[in-house]
Amino acid sequence: AQQTSCRSHVGTRPLVSNVKAVIATLWRSSALKSEVLFFFFFQGLLKPQAVVMSEPKPPTPTPGDTYKGWLFKWTNYIKGYQRRWFVLSNGLLSYYRTQAEMGHTCRGTINLATANIAVEDSCNFVISNGGAQTYHLKANSEVERQRWITALELAKAKAVRMQAESGERKNKLVGEFQSTLRTLNSKVEDLTTCNDLIVKHGSALQRSLSELEGIRVGGEMGEKIRQVTERATLFRITSNAMINACRDFLSLAQSHSKRWQKALQVERDQRIRLEETLEQLAKQHNHLERAFRGATVLPPSFSNPALGGVPGKGDASDEDDDNEFFDAMEDPAEFITVPADPKYHRLLTFSKKNIKSPQSLELEPVRQRRTRIPDKPNYYLNLWSIMKNCIGKELSKIPMPVNFNEPLSMLQRLSEDLEYYELLDKAAKCQSSLEQMCYVAAFTVSSYSTTVHRTGKPFNPLLGETFELDRLKECGYRSLCEQVSHHPPAAAHHAISEKGWTLRQEITLASKFRGKYLSIMPLGSIQCLFEKSNNHYSWKKVTTTVHNIIVGKLWIDQSGEIDVVNHKTGDRCHLKFAPYSYFSRDVPRKVTGVVTDKDGKAHYVLSGTWDEKMEFSRVMQSSKGENGTEGKQRTVYQTLKAKEIWKKNPLPEGAENMYYFSSLALTLNEPEEGVAPTDSRKRPDQRLMEDGRWDEANAEKQRLEEKQRTTRREREREAVKAVSPPEEGAHQDNYQALWFEKLDDSASGETLHVYKGGYWEAKEQGSWDMCADIF
């Protein structure tokens, strides 16, 4: 465990003043753990120094218990048998790709105590532990195979015997512990009796001494001195008896110390082996999932003999020499997954019944997205001549040339929030709502990672403008954005995934230019719903500040607080984006967060930066610490080791010349067939700017804005005419969004635009008659 606060609190060992009470308390527990603690506590009680117990290192097997060598292991239908280094030690059969991997990466382990060993032919044999793991192995010769079989059978017999002996030894040890503790308890009772006698005779001796001080020299003095002598003698006898009882107690405890230490060592060794086995299983599971997600369909050149070479052996996960994948375990006999060329689909699952005719499968190539856009031209612009008349005005009402822009619309920037959609995919698989909250919170932070160098302003969308992001084949999700209001500017976003999550958001921007910096305050709400658990999350964005508008290099900061709320369970994550300060010792762009349940109990702590990565740690204990800088009492969380939950993808090569676009952003304005005529990709001023024709883009931008103003005035006149009688000076706008409708959300209490359907159906039919001519 580690402290997630800058202050570490170390507990102190309290002094024990009542031996009887401590030993009696330990006696009430009959568990092995308490018995071991009892021994070490008593040892520490008799010695002034603390007893330090170091973790034992895993035992090194002797040469007689270890068997090593090369074998061929069946991996998959693509590569067949592959040469692997196998190590048999302590009843465990492990394998590695090379001998050099033994120090850091184990590809798999089988416990022979529960395994079955079967011989197939002269060189082949199979090891299985009941279905979860199966190794199909092949030796170079029959002699070598027989050596392995003999070593495996001997190791299995020894492992089964050790397992049985371990159970018997544990039962025997428990019985011995119980007997020893009964003896120790009788000694404790003797100590108690001696203690009572010492108290009794000590009090009598004290009284006699007090009386002796007040008498006069005479006949009484001899009698009183005799009484004092008798009581002192009784006190000495009782004290000697207690000393002897303590000596017997200590001797008995020390005689059993070696046996208890040996029993403790055995338990620790077993725990270490279990932890190692569990760790290997977890790594195999993780890499199998990665291999499964990264698999693709068969290429056209894939032939039948490769499929039919070794039927029924292994699964479809591939062993790529450039990737850290584990060999896959035996799959159920129903399905096989096979990898292939990346230009085809990532994944295809097909029945073994059709394994002989892969030509019948329909292969649909995945579209190759672009990886570059034209470099940004170097245009000079007198910034002050434009900005001096804009101080104090709202940014959406200021006519800006495209020199300040980047060739993306605000709708496309909103869709960039899905760059790290994998976090929501992982959240959808979580069984715990608190762990799911961690992934949702990391997703909220990841949406800011693309803004660190993006000082360009996105195009303000025209009213009715849309943008679709269809990544259903590549990533399993698709989304739609629409500009649903112009004053104030508001955009609605809807995304749905095959992995069982739905994201919807409505963003209304309020922005102010203050001369030295520009503040952008998102006012809308974001919601995420998970189909399997029905968990409903909502949160809002923080303030974005662009510094050095007039003089100096532009830089962007995010600051504020976010509360991610699960409206079903009451779980909450409070995220704090620390504003940049020259005098702060903290890392720049720092983000911290705490995940709590409905009762306010902390379960996870998140920390990191919004431009690089986030980590999360499970809270084991929390306590109130010293007062902070603002006089508030700080909470210190004791956590397990932090794990990385999100990391920013690196920017593509040459990104500094392409507006610092990410790999996803480079594809957003790529022309695409079949989209609505209102799609941002068809906006002419934005397309001209991307091509580097900025003068033409400025002229086109002014034309579009004037056309939008004219359309709005006509719409307002029609709205006034519809009012009977018309109100003098009335300004109304009867605009209704095409693909979204305004609804009240009962869970969060928010009013937002929700996707009402129809867009994807219209795209399939190619019918866009309902779309307005906005370009």
Side-chain angles (χ1 to χ4, degrees):
Q2 63 182 3
Q3 297 287 348
T4 57
S5 171
C6 61
R7 297 181 183 271
S8 176
H9 297 271
V10 181
T12 58
R13 181 182 178 184
L15 296 176
V16 180
S17 60
N18 194 333
V19 180
K20 180 181 69 173
V22 173
I23 298 177
T25 302
L26 292 172
W27 163 243
R28 296 190 188 101
S29 174
S30 60
L32 179 61
K33 179 180 178 181
S34 297
E35 295 161 0
V36 175
L37 286 174
F38 165 77
F39 165 71
F40 283 106
F41 178 82
F42 187 79
Q43 290 288 83
L45 182 65
L46 295 175
K47 300 177 183 179
Q49 68 273 20
V51 178
V52 180
M53 298 172 60
S54 60
E55 283 291 330
K57 296 182 179 180
T60 304
T62 60
D65 297 332
T66 304
Y67 193 80
K68 305 177 182 178
W70 292 99
L71 288 172
F72 290 90
K73 178 184 178 297
W74 174 260
T75 57
N76 53 52
Y77 286 94
I78 301 297
K79 294 188 176 182
Y81 283 99
Q82 295 293 315
R83 194 164 179 254
R84 296 290 179 260
W85 179 255
F86 280 80
V87 177
L88 175 61
S89 176
N90 291 332
L92 300 176
L93 179 65
S94 306
Y95 75 96
Y96 310 84
R97 184 174 291 170
T98 61
Q99 291 175 266
E101 280 190 346
M102 291 180 61
H104 56 86
T105 304
C106 178
R107 300 286 165 173
T109 301
I110 280 187
N111 189 349
L112 294 179
T114 58
N116 295 320
I117 304 172
V119 179
E120 289 189 334
D121 52 33
S122 60
C123 296
N124 292 30
F125 59 99
V126 180
I127 303 175
S128 175
N129 64 353
Q133 288 176 291
T134 300
Y135 293 168
H136 295 266
L137 306 177
K138 181 169 66 174
N140 287 324
S141 63
E142 185 175 0
V143 175
E144 184 180 354
R145 186 219 64 187
Q146 189 56 44
R147 289 176 181 171
W148 274 102
I149 292 295
T150 303
L152 291 170
E153 292 290 356
L154 290 174
K156 178 182 177 181
K158 183 176 180 181
V160 172
R161 185 172 63 255
M162 287 180 62
Q163 192 172 14
E165 291 177 354
S166 176
E168 295 176 359
R169 184 168 60 251
K170 184 179 294 185
N171 294 333
K172 182 179 178 181
L173 286 174
V174 171
E176 291 181 358
F177 285 141
Q178 295 290 345
S179 176
T180 302
L181 283 177
R182 283 193 294 269
T183 305
L184 293 177
N185 187 52
S186 65
K187 294 296 182 181
V188 169
E189 293 177 355
D190 293 343
L191 290 174
T192 303
T193 304
C194 292
N195 180 66
D196 294 339
L197 291 173
I198 287 175
V199 172
K200 177 181 177 181
H201 295 301
S203 300
L205 181 60
Q206 184 65 39
R207 287 195 303 270
S208 298
L209 291 174
S210 299
E211 294 174 357
L212 186 60
E213 292 177 356
I215 65 173
R216 290 173 296 187
V217 179
E220 290 185 33
M221 186 172 182
E223 183 64 22
K224 292 296 182 182
I225 291 176
R226 186 181 60 78
Q227 292 180 6
V228 170
T229 302
E230 290 178 357
R231 290 172 179 173
T233 302
L234 290 174
F235 185 80
R236 184 175 62 255
I237 294 172
T238 307
S239 300
N240 289 336
M242 185 172 184
I243 291 172
N244 292 332
C246 291
R247 186 181 294 111
D248 293 342
F249 187 88
L250 176 60
S251 176
L252 184 61
Q254 288 178 339
S255 66
H256 288 80
S257 63
K258 293 183 179 180
R259 184 176 300 176
W260 286 351
Q261 288 176 349
K262 184 178 180 181
L264 181 62
Q265 185 65 36
V266 171
E267 296 295 330
R268 282 182 172 167
D269 292 343
Q270 290 184 358
R271 187 200 67 188
I272 290 172
R273 286 196 293 269
L274 288 174
E275 287 179 351
E276 290 175 351
T277 305
L278 182 62
E279 182 180 1
Q280 295 300 330
L281 289 175
K283 288 181 179 179
Q284 291 181 31
H285 178 75
N286 181 40
H287 286 284
L288 279 175
E289 285 188 344
R290 288 169 50 194
F292 182 81
R293 289 195 301 268
T296 55
V297 300
L298 291 168
S301 60
F302 195 84
S303 58
N304 286 337
L307 281 172
V310 187
K313 292 185 178 181
D315 68 356
S317 65
D318 187 21
E319 283 195 57
D320 191 350
D321 292 337
D322 298 329
N323 296 306
E324 291 296 327
F325 287 149
F326 287 95
D327 287 338
M329 296 177 289
E330 185 75 9
D331 260 355
E334 180 62 23
F335 294 102
I336 296 177
T337 310
V338 291
D341 197 288
K343 66 184 179 180
Y344 294 95
H345 280 306
R346 298 182 305 114
L347 178 65
L348 177 66
T349 306
F350 58 92
S351 174
K352 283 188 178 180
K353 296 178 182 179
N354 301 325
I355 198 170
K356 295 183 179 181
S357 57
Q359 293 84 353
S360 62
L361 300 172
E362 297 183 2
L363 304 180
E364 182 180 355
V366 173
R367 175 177 177 176
Q368 295 294 318
R369 304 286 177 179
R370 68 181 184 181
T371 58
R372 288 198 62 84
I373 61 173
D375 289 350
K376 178 182 179 181
N378 187 15
Y379 279 96
Y380 171 75
L381 181 67
N382 188 350
L383 186 63
W384 178 247
S385 64
I386 297 175
M387 304 301 293
K388 65 182 180 180
N389 297 322
C390 302
I391 297 176
K393 296 183 181 179
E394 188 176 343
L395 189 63
S396 62
K397 297 182 179 180
I398 300 175
M400 290 286 186
V402 298
N403 305 60
F404 290 100
N405 288 22
E406 61 180 15
L408 289 179
S409 74
M410 187 62 197
L411 301 181
Q412 291 165 317
R413 284 291 294 268
L414 198 59
S415 300
E416 279 191 72
D417 288 358
L418 296 170
E419 180 169 0
Y420 299 96
Y421 68 94
E422 298 98 336
L423 291 170
L424 296 182
D425 289 348
K426 294 177 181 177
K429 298 178 181 179
C430 292
Q431 301 294 328
S432 167
S433 63
L434 292 166
E435 183 181 357
Q436 187 180 73
M437 174 68 81
C438 294
Y439 284 98
V440 175
F443 176 78
T444 67
V445 177
S446 69
S447 63
Y448 297 98
S449 63
T450 60
T451 65
V452 62
H453 299 297
R454 300 275 288 278
T455 55
K457 170 185 172 294
F459 280 79
N460 288 334
L462 302 175
L463 188 62
E465 185 175 333
T466 61
F467 176 72
E468 70 159 89
L469 181 62
D470 192 346
R471 295 291 189 269
L472 204 60
K473 296 176 182 178
E474 300 99 318
C475 308
Y477 74 87
R478 60 185 180 184
S479 74
L480 176 67
C481 289
E482 181 181 1
Q483 186 76 359
V484 295
S485 175
H486 189 63
H487 287 298
H493 182 206
H494 174 84
I496 187 168
S497 170
E498 293 178 333
K499 302 298 177 65
W501 55 264
T502 301
L503 182 74
R504 60 193 188 196
Q505 54 183 325
E506 179 177 341
I507 300 300
T508 303
L509 296 178
S511 53
K512 292 293 183 181
F513 175 58
R514 299 300 183 186
K516 189 177 181 180
Y517 63 90
L518 170 70
S519 295
I520 304 171
M521 293 79 70
L523 304 178
S525 174
I526 307 173
Q527 299 185 356
C528 187
L529 298 86
F530 292 94
E531 180 181 349
K532 184 177 179 181
S533 60
N534 291 325
N535 287 331
H536 187 159
Y537 298 86
S538 69
W539 66 92
K540 296 185 178 181
K541 288 181 174 287
V542 296
T543 299
T544 301
T545 307
V546 185
H547 294 270
N548 295 342
I549 294 292
I550 302 299
V551 179
K553 184 179 180 181
L554 293 176
W555 61 279
I556 293 177
D557 193 23
Q558 312 286 350
S559 59
E561 298 180 357
I562 295 178
D563 279 317
V564 185
V565 182
N566 185 343
H567 297 284
K568 177 185 176 183
T569 63
D571 302 337
R572 182 181 297 268
C573 178
H574 182 74
L575 293 169
K576 184 176 181 181
F577 289 67
Y580 175 78
S581 174
Y582 179 80
F583 302 99
S584 176
R585 296 182 180 179
D586 288 335
V587 61
R589 309 181 184 97
K590 181 179 179 181
V591 181
T592 57
V594 179
V595 176
T596 57
D597 57 20
K598 62 180 180 180
D599 299 322
K601 181 182 178 182
H603 291 268
Y604 289 94
V605 171
L606 293 95
S607 61
T609 58
W610 53 264
D611 66 323
E612 285 296 336
K613 65 177 181 179
M614 290 292 293
E615 297 177 337
F616 76 118
S617 311
R618 187 174 183 85
V619 175
M620 303 303 296
Q621 187 177 359
S622 61
S623 59
K624 295 295 182 181
E626 299 178 1
N627 290 341
T629 56
E630 300 178 358
K632 298 180 180 178
Q633 195 173 33
R634 302 175 58 186
T635 303
V636 179
Y637 297 103
Q638 187 178 8
T639 67
L640 297 177
K641 185 178 180 181
K643 298 180 181 179
E644 186 177 86
I645 191 173
W646 164 75
K647 186 176 183 180
K648 179 186 176 182
N649 296 328
L651 292 176
E653 185 178 357
E656 64 277 4
N657 299 321
M658 298 184 293
Y659 308 91
Y660 287 97
F661 281 179
S662 65
S663 299
L664 174 62
L666 289 173
T667 67
L668 295 180
N669 205 42
E670 184 178 8
E672 188 167 331
E673 297 294 332
V675 299
T678 56
D679 197 274
S680 298
R681 301 177 183 89
K682 298 187 176 182
R683 181 166 175 164
D685 54 348
Q686 186 172 300
R687 181 65 58 191
L688 289 169
M689 183 196 174
E690 183 183 289
D691 294 338
R693 300 154 64 184
W694 284 17
D695 293 336
E696 299 176 49
N698 276 317
E700 191 65 23
K701 183 173 182 290
Q702 293 180 8
R703 182 189 69 82
L704 291 175
E705 290 174 350
E706 182 58 34
K707 179 180 180 181
Q708 181 174 231
R709 285 190 286 267
T710 302
T711 303
R712 182 184 181 187
R713 285 194 293 267
E714 293 177 357
R715 195 166 53 247
E716 288 178 350
R717 283 196 296 267
E718 292 177 0
V720 171
K721 291 179 182 179
V723 178
S724 181
E727 298 179 6
E728 184 178 355
H731 295 278
Q732 299 183 11
D733 192 346
N734 58 359
Y735 178 80
Q736 297 291 331
L738 183 58
W739 308 111
F740 289 80
E741 59 182 345
K742 205 165 189 176
L743 296 175
D744 295 329
D745 182 59
S746 58
S748 62
E750 300 279 349
T751 300
L752 71 163
H753 283 80
V754 179
Y755 176 64
K756 63 182 179 181
Y759 179 88
W760 306 106
E761 292 78 6
K763 182 180 180 180
E764 291 178 0
Q765 299 172 6
S767 176
W768 302 109
D769 298 337
M770 71 290 293
C771 295
D773 180 17
I774 62 174
F775 299 142

